[in-house]
């Protein structure tokens, strides 16, 4: 019986080639889009899943509670994790780690290079994560001594292609490192990028117990039967036991008064596998993904597939009158309703299977191209895992049943007597269903289109919004350490070039790392931690920053004990009246120093627009903080190539043994919004494909509808109607449907887009215009699709359609 139904299904597909191609094409595009999205999402969900003890690994994180606000940190004090391990039997092991904020300059023989994927960690790293050694002892031994280094296999082959790396020395900014071991490449994808593991003992700073400074990422391996809530409930007691003494000694206040003032350390645990999609704390190792975006793309995939399914259902039910006699004859010959349902479901499954095969081919061919264009990573090895083949088996079956269930039920319900007498008529229920499905298609298409417009609008906003400084033409030269006392000479030499207008020293650039600076509030002696940076007297002029009050640093003044604050810091410090001339106490971890406020710079966005402008203190390069390591230049972009050549040549004159490292500020800032740019491009692709799928189905549906109304059109033309009037008449219905879809899409789309925009502290305003634009675009495309079929029908000679009457 099945083979008979299969043969009939294939015959029907071949007999009605146009409708078969429309159905198969729509399903293929829909299924292909689904697979592309799910391959990408599988990569997002796979972060840190490869570690054998992943369910036991947690990162220790902190909500630092201040009297007027709280800040959540991925960085915690260096010894709090050790204290937790020593006090709680549920904690089996702990590993402390951090990644350098900037590239590390390294040297092997005469070869100099920069490395970013360096992870400084305890020797216990192998007891928490999967570190599989291929040469040398285990990490507990290999990283037990200072300046010890473990290379991954890929890094070892890259750095020592012709020799054994074991025991080799690598000069670096961290010191002279010895290769003590080689491990397999770090399991990917991961929230941490690792090519080199460096011993934490290399840094003497971490040997001194510290329970209140935020310096390391700490990971705990818990017992399999550990109660997470019970572990977290013990944290306040451990904080009181270990941190209270340091709070009292450093801040000259009792711990009880410290808590009563509104301060606290609220530690919590983050599952390792949740970090990538669910963690967006201060001090993340790299920008993480977004669970909200992942779930949104799941909805997009489902909606696109549903649009394709709707096409199939619409065309199948629309053709019900053509197949009515077939059903009637089969029922008269003894076919039961169950047999007819099975036959129509087999037809649906055949179409779905063919569509899946074509869609699978499209996905595998197009995904690398899309991935390369939008900028997300493809790991083809994960495409052929078990989940993929489960999906391969499930998708065509689910789609086939979903798309064919209702048409099969409708077609099998026809009464043979009415059909064979010619008394069969399409019901209003079928008309309402088809139009409802068309409304659904265009509603989804409009929401995707509106979302795409808003994502691009937000990206444009981030690119055009005034950040409080110039970004175009700002070039930074990093790693000034080798210059020592010749930095001023380098600056003066560079300024002689006509295309270099300004130059200034600092320790960082907007969008990069800003160190934490602890101050004591003047009125209540409370200790607050704000961001800090080091600048010279030329920085404001180079970056075109504006002062709110007071002055910037001046070359002829002794400003080593002076301080400039931004407007947010003035508010946080509670500096009443005029802040100029007031003193604030800076705490360096050992003692207090006094700084006099000489200026207040207008707030500028030194972090991304995702976050509110935070408090910032700008120290002079001659202060005890020091540490200027970046030369910022304002250059003429018209002669950029020649200017860059001059910059590199001049650098080689001053530091011939060190590589030239230059960055463009606008490019660095753009990297903060790569995720949004990726989302924008993906939304654009899928919104376009959703409209294409909807219009493919609408094309087939309108072709069938105009064929059904051919005699009506012929009669109206005989009675004097023009072709244009016929086009307007046939297009009026789709206009109404698009209008209904627009009304439905506005509240639903508004909620979805507003949720996405809430991830930005600074964002564009959402307006109705975006939905009107999406509705207008959908209407124009729909009218073009229906209008083409209507015009063809209207231009047909009435004699050709009426001669059989």
């Amino acid at each position: 019986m099945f083979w008979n139904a299969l043969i009939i299904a294939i015959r029907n597909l071949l007999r009605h080639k146009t409708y078969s191609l429309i159905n198969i094409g729509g399903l293929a595009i829909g299924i292909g889009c689904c697979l592309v999205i799910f391959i990408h999402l599988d990569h997002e969900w796979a972060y840190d899943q490869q570690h054998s003890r992943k369910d036991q690994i947690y990162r220790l994180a902190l909500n630092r509670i201040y009297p007027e606000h709280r800040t959540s940190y991925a960085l915690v004090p260096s010894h709090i994790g050790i204290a937790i391990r020593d006090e709680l039997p549920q904690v089996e092991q702990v590993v402390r780690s951090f990644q350098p904020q900037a590239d590390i300059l390294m040297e092997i023989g005469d070869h100099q290079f920069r490395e970013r994927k360096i992870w400084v960690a305890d020797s216990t790293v192998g007891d928490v994560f999967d570190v599989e050694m291929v040469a040398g002892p285990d990490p507990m031994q290999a990283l037990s001594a200072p300046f010890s280094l473990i290379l991954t296999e890929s890094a070892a082959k890259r750095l020592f292609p012709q020799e054994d790396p074991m025991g080799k020395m690598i000069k670096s900014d961290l010191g002279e490192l010895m290769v003590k071991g080689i491990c397999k490449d770090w399991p990917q994808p991961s929230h941490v990028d690792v090519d080199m593991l460096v011993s934490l003992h290399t840094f003497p700073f971490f040997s001194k117990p510290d329970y209140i400074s935020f310096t390391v990422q700490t990971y705990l391996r818990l017992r399999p039967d550990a109660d997470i809530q019970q572990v977290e409930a013990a944290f306040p007691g451990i904080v009181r036991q270990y941190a209270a003494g340091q709070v009292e000694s450093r801040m000259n206040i009792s711990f009880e008064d410290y808590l009563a003032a509104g301060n606290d350390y609220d530690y919590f645990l983050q599952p390792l596998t949740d970090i990538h999609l669910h963690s967006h704390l201060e001090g993340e190792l790299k920008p993480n993904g977004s669970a909200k975006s992942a779930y949104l793309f799941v909805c997009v995939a489902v909606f696109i597939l549903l649009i394709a399914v709707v096409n199939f259902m619409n065309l199948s039910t629309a053709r019900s009158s053509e197949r009515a006699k077939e059903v009637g004859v089969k029922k008269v010959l003894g076919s039961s309703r169950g047999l007819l349902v099975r036959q129509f479901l087999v037809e649906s499954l055949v179409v779905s299977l063919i569509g899946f095969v074509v869609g699978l081919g499209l996905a595998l061919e197009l995904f690398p191209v899309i991935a390369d264009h939008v900028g997300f990573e493809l790991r083809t090895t994960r495409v052929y895992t078990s989940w993929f083949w489960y999906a391969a088996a499930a998708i065509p079956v689910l789609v086939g049943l979903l798309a064919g269930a209702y048409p099969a039920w409708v077609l099998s319900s026809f009464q043979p007597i009415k059909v064979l007498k010619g008394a069969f008529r399409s019901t209003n229920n079928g008309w309402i269903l088809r139009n409802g499905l068309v409304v659904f298609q265009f509603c989804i298409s409009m929401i995707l289109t509106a979302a795409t417009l808003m994502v691009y609008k937000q990206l444009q906003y981030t690119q055009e919004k005034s950040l409080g400084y110039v970004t175009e033409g700002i070039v930074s030269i990093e790693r000034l350490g080798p210059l020592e006392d010749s930095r001023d000479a380098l600056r003066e030499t560079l300024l002689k070039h006509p295309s270099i207008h300004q130059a200034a020293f600092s320790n960082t650039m907007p969008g990069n790392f800003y160190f934490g600076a602890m101050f004591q509030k003047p009125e209540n002696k409370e200790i607050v931690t704000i961001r800090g940076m080091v600048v010279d007297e030329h920085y404001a002029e180079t970056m075109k920053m504006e002062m709110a009050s007071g002055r910037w640093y001046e070359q002829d003044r002794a400003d080593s004990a002076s301080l400039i604050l931004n407007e947010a810091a003035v508010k946080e410090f509670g500096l009443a009246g005029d802040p100029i001339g007031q003193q604030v106490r800076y705490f360096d971890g050992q003692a207090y120093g006094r700084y006099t406020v000489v200026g207040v710079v207008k707030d500028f966005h030194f972090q991304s627009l995702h976050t509110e402008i935070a408090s910032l203190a700008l120290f002079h390069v001659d202060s005890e903080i020091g540490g200027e390591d970046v030369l910022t230049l304002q250059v003429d972009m018209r002669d950029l190539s020649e200017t860059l050549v001059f910059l590199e040549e001049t650098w080689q004159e001053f530091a011939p043994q060190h590589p030239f490292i230059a960055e463009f500020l606008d490019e660095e800032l753009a990297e903060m919004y790569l995720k949004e740019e990726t989302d924008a491009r993906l939304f654009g692709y899928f919104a376009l494909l959703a409209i294409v799928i909807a219009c493919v189905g609408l094309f087939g549906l309108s072709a069938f509808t105009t064929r059904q109304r051919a005699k009506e059109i012929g009669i109206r033309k005989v009675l004097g109607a023009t072709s244009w009037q016929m086009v307007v008449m046939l297009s009026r219905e789709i206009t109404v449907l698009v209008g209904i879809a627009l009304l439905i899409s506005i509240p639903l789309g508004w909620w979805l887009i507003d949720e996405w925009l809430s991830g930005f502290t600074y964002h564009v305003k959402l307006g109705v215009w975006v939905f009107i634009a999406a509705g207008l675009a959908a209407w124009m495309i729909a009218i073009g699709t229906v209008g083409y079929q209507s015009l063809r029908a209207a231009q047909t000679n009435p004699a050709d359609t009426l001669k059989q009457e």
Side-chain angles (χ1 to χ4, degrees):
M1 191 64 192
F2 171 78
W3 293 109
N4 183 54
L6 180 61
I7 292 171
I8 294 174
I10 294 174
R11 286 176 178 173
N12 275 320
L13 290 177
L14 296 175
R15 184 178 300 120
H16 305 284
K17 295 181 178 64
T18 300
Y19 294 110
S20 298
L21 288 175
I22 290 175
N23 280 330
I24 292 172
L27 287 176
I29 297 174
I31 291 172
C33 287
C34 262
L35 291 175
V36 167
I37 292 174
F38 280 112
I39 291 172
H40 170 53
L41 291 180
D42 176 69
H43 178 265
E44 291 290 286
W45 289 325
Y47 270 73
D48 301 302
Q49 296 282 351
Q50 292 75 26
H51 295 280
S52 59
R53 292 173 289 199
K54 62 180 183 295
D55 295 332
Q56 298 173 243
I57 304 174
Y58 294 82
R59 186 172 69 179
L60 184 65
L62 170 66
N63 290 320
R64 174 63 171 94
I65 300 173
Y66 299 97
E68 297 176 358
H69 70 279
R70 70 165 56 196
T71 303
S72 298
Y73 292 95
L75 294 170
V76 299
S78 60
H79 282 68
I80 192 68
I82 295 176
I84 290 173
R85 181 194 61 188
D86 293 343
E87 296 293 332
L88 300 180
Q90 297 97 321
V91 180
E92 294 182 331
Q93 191 54 277
V94 61
V95 58
R96 301 167 299 169
S97 65
F98 74 91
Q99 276 196 315
Q101 294 295 325
D103 292 354
I104 299 299
L105 182 63
M106 292 190 162
E107 182 178 340
I108 300 176
D110 296 331
H111 175 53
Q112 291 185 339
F113 56 95
R114 299 162 62 186
E115 283 291 334
R116 179 174 291 273
K117 298 180 180 181
I118 297 175
W119 205 29
V120 182
D122 274 320
S123 58
T124 55
V125 62
D127 287 344
V128 177
F129 298 96
D130 289 353
V131 182
E132 187 175 348
M133 302 299 295
V134 296
D138 60 36
M140 186 65 75
Q141 299 180 53
L143 298 179
S144 60
F147 304 103
S148 300
L149 173 68
I150 294 177
L151 298 177
T152 62
E153 281 187 302
S154 58
K157 293 177 182 177
R158 172 168 54 88
L159 300 178
F160 300 94
Q162 305 296 332
E163 53 186 326
D164 183 5
M166 292 296 295
K168 294 294 191 297
M169 305 299 295
I170 301 178
K171 295 180 181 179
S172 76
D173 293 340
L174 306 178
E176 194 168 16
L177 306 173
M178 176 182 286
V179 180
K180 293 288 189 69
I182 301 172
C183 68
K184 287 192 174 181
D185 288 350
W186 194 263
Q188 293 294 330
S190 172
H191 77 286
V192 54
D193 292 326
V194 182
D195 273 349
M196 300 181 180
L197 278 166
V198 176
S199 172
L200 191 72
H201 299 295
T202 305
F203 302 87
F205 170 82
F206 296 107
S207 63
K208 184 177 181 180
D210 189 319
Y211 301 101
I212 61 175
S213 303
F214 313 141
T215 53
V216 295
Q217 302 240 356
T218 298
Y219 300 86
L220 307 176
R221 192 192 83 217
L222 274 57
R223 289 171 48 182
D225 59 347
D227 186 328
I228 305 304
Q229 293 181 346
Q230 185 179 7
V231 172
E232 290 180 328
F235 290 163
I238 296 175
V239 170
R240 182 177 295 273
Q241 179 180 350
Y242 286 88
Q246 287 192 350
V247 169
E248 292 174 351
S249 63
R250 292 189 185 183
M251 302 181 184
N252 196 25
I253 185 175
S254 72
F255 193 66
E256 296 301 330
D257 291 342
Y258 183 73
L259 295 178
N263 297 283
D264 205 353
Y265 296 87
D266 177 25
Y267 288 97
F268 61 97
L269 296 177
Q270 295 179 298
L272 176 67
T273 53
D274 284 357
I275 291 175
H276 177 66
L277 289 180
H278 298 277
S279 182
H280 303 88
L281 310 180
E282 292 284 342
E284 296 285 356
L285 291 173
K286 63 181 180 181
N288 286 325
S290 167
K292 186 182 295 185
S293 293
Y295 296 140
L296 191 59
F297 276 115
V298 170
C299 294
V300 170
V302 172
F303 284 148
I304 288 178
L305 191 58
L306 285 178
I307 289 175
V309 169
V310 164
N311 281 347
F312 186 93
M313 294 174 64
N314 256 346
L315 288 176
S316 297
T317 54
R319 292 183 59 231
S320 59
S321 59
E322 288 188 348
R323 305 197 67 177
K325 290 184 178 179
E326 173 191 345
V327 172
V329 170
K330 287 184 176 180
K331 281 193 171 183
V332 169
L333 294 177
S335 290
S336 66
R337 187 173 186 180
L339 290 175
L340 290 172
V341 168
R342 282 197 290 273
Q343 177 194 321
F344 292 127
L345 285 179
V346 168
E347 291 183 17
S348 175
L349 288 169
V350 169
V351 173
S352 177
L353 182 60
I354 298 174
F356 175 80
V357 172
V358 178
L360 177 61
L362 286 174
L364 295 181
E365 287 296 323
L366 293 180
F367 186 78
V369 178
I370 296 175
D372 180 65
H373 184 63
V374 303
F376 59 67
E377 187 176 9
L378 168 66
R379 294 198 174 266
T380 53
T381 54
R382 290 195 56 82
V383 173
Y384 304 105
T385 52
S386 58
W387 77 268
F388 187 81
W389 298 115
Y390 290 146
I395 287 179
V397 175
L398 292 175
V399 170
L401 293 176
L402 184 61
Y406 181 78
W409 180 263
V410 171
L411 292 172
S412 64
S413 66
F414 296 157
Q415 298 180 15
I417 295 178
K418 290 184 178 181
V419 171
L420 297 178
K421 282 184 175 181
F424 171 77
R425 294 290 184 272
S426 297
T427 64
N428 286 333
N429 290 337
W431 179 84
I432 293 172
L433 175 66
R434 286 194 296 276
N435 286 339
L437 293 175
V438 171
V439 168
F440 170 81
Q441 287 181 313
F442 279 98
C443 181
I444 299 302
S445 300
M446 288 178 194
I447 291 175
L448 289 176
T449 303
T452 301
L453 292 175
M454 285 306 300
V455 171
Y456 274 108
K457 194 71 177 176
Q458 177 63 22
L459 277 177
Q460 184 181 22
Y461 174 81
T462 61
Q463 294 167 355
E464 298 179 356
K465 185 183 186 303
S466 174
L467 301 178
Y469 50 85
V470 295
T471 59
E472 186 177 1
I474 299 297
V475 179
S476 62
I477 301 177
E478 302 178 2
R479 318 299 270 172
L480 301 181
L483 296 179
E484 297 181 352
D485 298 329
S486 59
R487 297 180 184 182
D488 290 335
L490 172 65
R491 178 181 179 275
E492 295 301 324
T493 302
L494 293 177
L495 284 174
K496 294 178 182 179
H497 193 280
S499 294
I500 300 176
H501 305 310
Q502 296 290 342
F505 291 108
S506 67
N507 73 316
T508 188
M509 289 294 290
N512 291 340
F513 175 74
Y514 286 74
F515 61 83
M518 291 191 293
F519 288 90
Q520 189 177 61
K521 282 189 173 182
E523 74 281 3
N524 59 9
K525 309 304 181 184
E526 176 201 346
I527 298 293
V528 295
T529 301
I530 67 173
R531 306 295 190 282
M533 71 176 298
V534 175
V535 296
D536 71 356
E537 56 271 15
H538 308 288
Y539 193 78
E541 186 178 7
T542 301
M543 298 294 291
K544 304 299 182 185
M545 292 177 174
E546 298 183 16
M547 300 298 293
S549 62
R551 64 175 177 85
W552 191 261
Y553 297 125
E554 298 176 2
Q555 191 168 3
D556 298 330
R557 296 204 187 197
D559 278 325
S560 61
S562 300
L563 187 67
I564 295 175
L565 301 174
N566 70 348
E567 293 171 302
V570 171
K571 293 178 183 178
E572 183 163 0
F573 285 170
L575 297 176
D578 185 7
I580 305 303
Q582 297 196 42
Q583 290 190 334
V584 292
R585 298 181 71 194
Y586 168 74
F587 184 63
D588 64 0
Q590 301 294 330
Y592 288 96
R594 291 185 178 273
Y595 284 83
T596 302
V597 178
V598 298
V600 178
V601 66
K602 288 187 176 181
D603 283 341
F604 61 94
H605 293 275
F606 59 93
Q607 296 172 299
S608 79
L609 295 177
H610 292 92
T611 58
E612 188 175 358
I613 296 177
S615 300
L616 179 68
L618 299 96
F619 297 86
H620 191 265
V621 293
D622 292 335
S623 69
E624 61 181 5
I625 308 298
E628 69 276 13
D629 200 35
V630 178
L631 176 59
T632 300
L633 306 170
Q634 186 187 113
V635 305
D636 192 331
M637 297 296 288
R638 291 174 296 182
D639 302 315
L640 185 59
S641 298
E642 189 270 335
T643 304
L644 289 176
V645 172
F646 171 76
L647 288 175
E648 185 168 6
E649 290 176 349
T650 305
W651 174 265
Q652 293 301 324
E653 292 177 11
F654 281 83
Q657 302 301 320
H658 298 273
F660 173 71
I661 304 172
E663 305 285 353
F664 290 91
L665 179 59
D666 53 356
E667 295 178 357
E668 291 287 300
L669 294 177
E671 290 185 4
M672 294 191 294
Y673 308 104
L674 287 178
K675 184 66 173 66
E676 286 73 27
E677 186 175 354
T678 297
D679 287 349
R681 290 177 177 177
L682 285 176
F683 268 116
Y685 285 137
F686 295 131
L688 177 62
L689 288 172
I691 294 175
V692 168
I693 297 171
C695 287
V696 165
L698 190 62
F699 181 86
L701 188 62
S702 60
F704 181 80
T705 302
T706 53
R707 194 174 72 182
Q708 279 190 319
R709 301 180 68 177
K711 291 184 174 61
E712 175 191 349
I713 294 171
I715 292 172
R716 288 179 180 273
K717 291 204 68 175
V718 168
L719 295 177
T722 64
S723 296
W724 174 248
Q725 289 174 324
M726 291 296 95
V727 171
V728 172
M729 180 193 73
L730 294 172
S731 302
R732 188 181 298 121
E733 181 177 324
I734 196 64
T735 300
V736 173
L737 297 180
V738 171
I740 295 172
L742 177 61
L743 294 177
I744 296 173
S745 68
I746 289 177
L748 179 58
W750 190 289
W751 175 75
L752 290 172
I753 297 172
D754 190 59
E755 278 290 304
W756 182 80
L757 286 174
S758 66
F760 292 84
T761 303
Y762 305 92
H763 57 75
V764 293
K765 291 184 178 179
L766 178 58
V768 178
W769 69 267
V770 70
F771 296 98
I772 295 176
L776 183 62
W779 176 77
M780 293 176 64
I781 295 172
I783 287 297
T785 303
V786 175
Y788 171 75
Q789 294 288 352
S790 302
L791 188 62
R792 285 187 60 190
Q795 291 178 341
T796 302
N797 190 336
D800 295 334
T801 57
L802 299 176
K803 63 184 178 181
Q804 295 180 351
E805 289 294 317

